[in-house]
Amino acid sequence: MNFKLNIEQSQKLVISQQLKQSLQILNMTLQELEVEILKESMENPVLEVEEKRDEIDWEKFIAHVSSGSSDDRYSAYSDDEEGLGMEKFVGYEAGMYEYLKGQVGCLLKSEADMDVALEIINSLDERGYLSDSTEDIASRLGVDEEDVLGMLSVVQSLEPAGIGARNLSECLVLQLHENGIKDDRLENIINSDLELLSMKKYREICKKYSLEMETITYFIDVIRTLEPMPGRIFSVERASYITPDVIVEKADGDFEVRLNEYSTPKLMISDYYKSLLKSAGDDAAKEYIKQKLGSAANLIRNIESRKATILGISTEILKRQRDFFEKGINHLKPMIMKDIAQELGFHESTVSRAVNGKYMLTPHGMFEIRFFFSGAPSCEDIAANSIKNILRELIDNEDKKKPLSDQSLCGLLENRGIEISRRTVAKYRDEMGILSSSQRKQP
């Protein structure tokens, strides 16, 4: 019988209950924190919770609006302290026009091309459709209609898919291409026979295109996945009611960031139990009070630590993204959590927890703090996605007997104001699973 002694080295991270609670609280949203505070206050008699301020005094607010006052800093709250105003409750994403302009700014370098693209974006209606003719836009700008059509294809390559369409059929076909679906029969039905589809004249469609009913059923299922009005995802009706964790506003000519102190109840330790600890003669009672006092103190300390961490990160975001706060979403700079973590001496996971589900109210609207990091795609990412859409369109419409080479694709992109190398075209083509021109060539 052989006996062997094996020595293994392992590392274990022992997390104290206090640290565990600190990490949990940092990760909580405002709503989750409020629930946690309520739960703790019910379980711990030592904790006293100061009620949050009253909600908006709507009568006072409506009277203020009716008076025609333009005082943006008016408080709609029922006490005399300065409030945030009604907009603190509404969280929304960037509007459609702002969002599209941010993307096109990443693609185009020429000022003349940008002017045309921006005019097209400004001519979109709330559905995301181009409401003006390309001829009218060309006339307004004093440019050739071909230039407008070129920039229209750029706008139509942006997110969300289907944007910039001139009619419903074009909107749906753009989305098919974005989803990698290329079927001439389906496109012909969308372009010519949507009315027959809406009237459920499936047999007539089958006969016209020599299709089986199973194929028509599949086509209908595909069409149902498409968005007929891509612009409506930006509708005000989709606004969600969110309370910001931090507010960035301009005061005395400069921006300042501050915590929304009205968003969470204020916690205090009961004076009664403090005095009771001194007078209690029962050791068991004293031990119980000490335990509850310690638990309450830890909770308050962890909440204050959470506030300080969120404020520190938000202040650093303000420093690094000043152009965004001054000029808007088009001027957002690429930034990663590691940058902030290194500057503040945090671990990257601390920054990730601190921004999770937290919101910042800015002069340009409400944004999740994570938006400034992974929530905000870099220009490189935006450009890559749009260029891929354009490349797919060019290749789909090429002469199959004389397919476009990567160099030819570069030239066509350059004609649309997009300058990239042949190597980058080849890279994007490979990423989309599209063969080279020699492999695409048909006899």
Side-chain angles (χ1 to χ4, degrees):
M1 184 179 293
N2 293 325
F3 293 92
K4 290 183 180 179
L5 178 63
N6 292 323
I7 300 176
E8 293 183 359
Q9 185 177 14
S10 64
Q11 288 183 322
K12 289 185 179 178
L13 179 62
V14 179
I15 301 179
S16 67
Q17 189 61 33
Q18 182 180 342
L19 177 56
K20 186 178 178 182
Q21 185 190 59
S22 175
L23 294 175
Q24 288 173 339
I25 286 176
L26 183 61
N27 195 55
M28 288 177 183
T29 64
L30 276 177
Q31 291 76 19
E32 291 168 342
L33 180 60
E34 194 169 346
V35 170
E36 181 67 15
I37 289 172
L38 179 61
K39 173 175 161 285
E40 288 289 332
S41 66
M42 292 176 70
E43 293 176 357
N44 191 341
V46 169
L47 274 174
E48 289 185 351
V49 181
E50 182 181 287
E51 290 298 318
K52 291 199 295 183
R53 291 204 305 169
D54 292 337
E55 297 296 331
I56 289 180
D57 181 338
W58 291 109
E59 290 184 11
K60 185 177 176 184
F61 182 77
I62 292 167
H64 171 75
V65 172
S66 301
S67 70
S69 172
S70 59
D71 181 8
D72 293 334
R73 297 177 69 88
Y74 166 77
S75 171
Y77 290 92
S78 56
D79 60 19
D80 294 327
E81 295 178 42
E82 182 185 342
L84 301 175
M86 182 178 176
E87 76 277 8
K88 96 166 206 182
F89 296 97
V90 182
Y92 55 93
E93 298 174 355
M96 178 179 72
Y97 302 99
E98 204 171 26
Y99 183 64
L100 295 173
K101 288 173 184 177
Q103 292 181 73
V104 84
C106 294
L107 273 171
L108 303 174
K109 306 301 178 189
S110 160
E111 190 173 331
D113 289 338
M114 273 294 291
D115 287 344
V116 177
L118 293 178
E119 183 65 24
I120 290 171
I121 290 170
N122 288 332
S123 301
L124 301 180
D125 61 25
E126 291 181 356
R127 301 171 301 164
Y129 284 36
L130 183 62
S131 54
D132 292 351
S133 70
T134 51
E135 186 180 1
D136 286 344
I137 294 172
S139 177
R140 282 202 303 270
L141 296 177
V143 299
D144 293 336
E145 188 176 1
E146 284 299 314
D147 295 332
V148 177
L149 289 169
M151 287 304 103
L152 177 59
S153 69
V154 171
V155 172
Q156 289 179 343
S157 75
L158 305 176
E159 295 285 346
I163 209 78
R166 287 161 286 188
N167 52 56
L168 175 59
S169 295
E170 185 176 35
C171 177
L172 299 180
V173 169
L174 285 169
Q175 292 175 67
L176 288 180
H177 293 174
E178 167 70 14
N179 295 333
I181 300 171
K182 180 65 177 171
D183 190 307
D184 291 339
R185 300 169 304 172
L186 176 54
E187 288 188 29
N188 287 336
I189 291 171
I190 290 174
N191 286 323
S192 306
D193 291 304
L194 277 180
E195 189 174 349
L196 288 179
L197 270 183
S198 66
M199 296 168 66
K200 299 185 179 181
K201 295 188 176 181
Y202 304 142
R203 293 191 183 280
E204 190 173 332
I205 296 172
C206 284
K207 184 177 179 181
K208 180 175 180 179
Y209 293 96
S210 302
L211 298 174
E212 299 291 333
M213 184 60 73
E214 186 180 350
T215 304
I216 289 293
T217 303
Y218 166 71
F219 285 169
I220 292 168
D221 289 341
V222 170
I223 291 171
R224 282 175 177 161
T225 67
L226 307 177
E227 171 55 69
M229 293 185 284
R232 70 176 169 186
I233 67 168
F234 300 95
S235 169
V236 175
E237 293 174 5
R238 294 180 67 250
S240 55
Y241 290 83
I242 298 168
T243 304
D245 295 80
V246 289
I247 300 109
V248 176
E249 58 187 352
K250 208 161 194 177
D252 300 323
D254 198 11
F255 287 102
E256 62 178 29
V257 57
R258 61 186 173 87
L259 290 167
N260 179 8
E261 294 288 359
Y262 311 114
S263 58
T264 52
K266 185 177 178 182
L267 284 177
M268 297 169 292
I269 293 176
S270 167
D271 289 334
Y272 170 75
Y273 280 96
K274 286 181 188 175
S275 61
L276 189 60
L277 179 64
K278 296 175 184 176
S279 60
D282 188 332
D283 288 343
K286 275 190 175 182
E287 189 58 37
Y288 172 80
I289 295 171
K290 279 182 182 179
Q291 181 188 344
K292 292 300 182 183
L293 283 170
S295 177
N298 284 338
L299 178 62
I300 292 170
R301 190 181 300 115
N302 289 333
I303 290 173
E304 291 304 312
S305 174
R306 174 187 185 276
K307 289 180 181 179
T309 302
I310 294 171
L311 182 60
I313 291 169
S314 300
T315 302
E316 191 61 30
I317 289 172
L318 174 58
K319 275 195 225 170
R320 291 169 179 262
Q321 299 286 2
R322 186 162 287 274
D323 282 351
F324 164 84
F325 293 100
E326 286 278 6
K327 303 171 186 176
I329 196 170
N330 292 3
H331 300 270
L332 192 68
K333 296 176 183 174
M335 185 174 67
I336 57 176
M337 291 185 191
K338 189 176 180 182
D339 297 334
I340 302 293
Q342 288 178 343
E343 182 66 29
L344 298 178
F346 294 153
H347 192 277
E348 197 172 333
S349 63
T350 301
V351 177
S352 180
R353 285 189 180 95
V355 302
N356 176 51
K358 316 302 189 301
Y359 286 82
M360 177 185 286
L361 181 62
T362 79
H364 307 290
M366 185 92 77
F367 295 90
E368 187 174 2
I369 298 178
R370 190 177 289 275
F371 167 84
F372 295 96
F373 303 100
S374 59
S378 67
C379 267
E380 186 180 347
D381 293 333
I382 291 171
N385 185 64
S386 295
I387 292 168
K388 285 178 182 178
N389 288 338
I390 296 171
L391 284 173
R392 188 184 290 111
E393 174 206 335
L394 291 171
I395 292 170
D396 283 346
N397 295 319
E398 70 185 357
D399 183 344
K400 304 305 177 188
K401 294 182 179 180
K402 294 180 182 178
L404 298 165
S405 66
D406 292 343
Q407 192 60 53
S408 298
L409 290 167
C410 278
L412 291 170
L413 287 171
E414 190 174 343
N415 291 341
R416 302 188 186 198
I418 301 168
E419 298 178 12
I420 61 171
S421 68
R422 183 197 60 77
R423 183 177 296 179
T424 304
V425 168
K427 174 188 167 189
Y428 290 165
R429 180 174 50 70
D430 287 342
E431 287 175 357
M432 291 188 292
I434 297 175
L435 300 174
S436 65
S437 58
S438 59
Q439 293 171 309
R440 297 197 307 274
K441 188 173 182 179
Q442 296 178 4

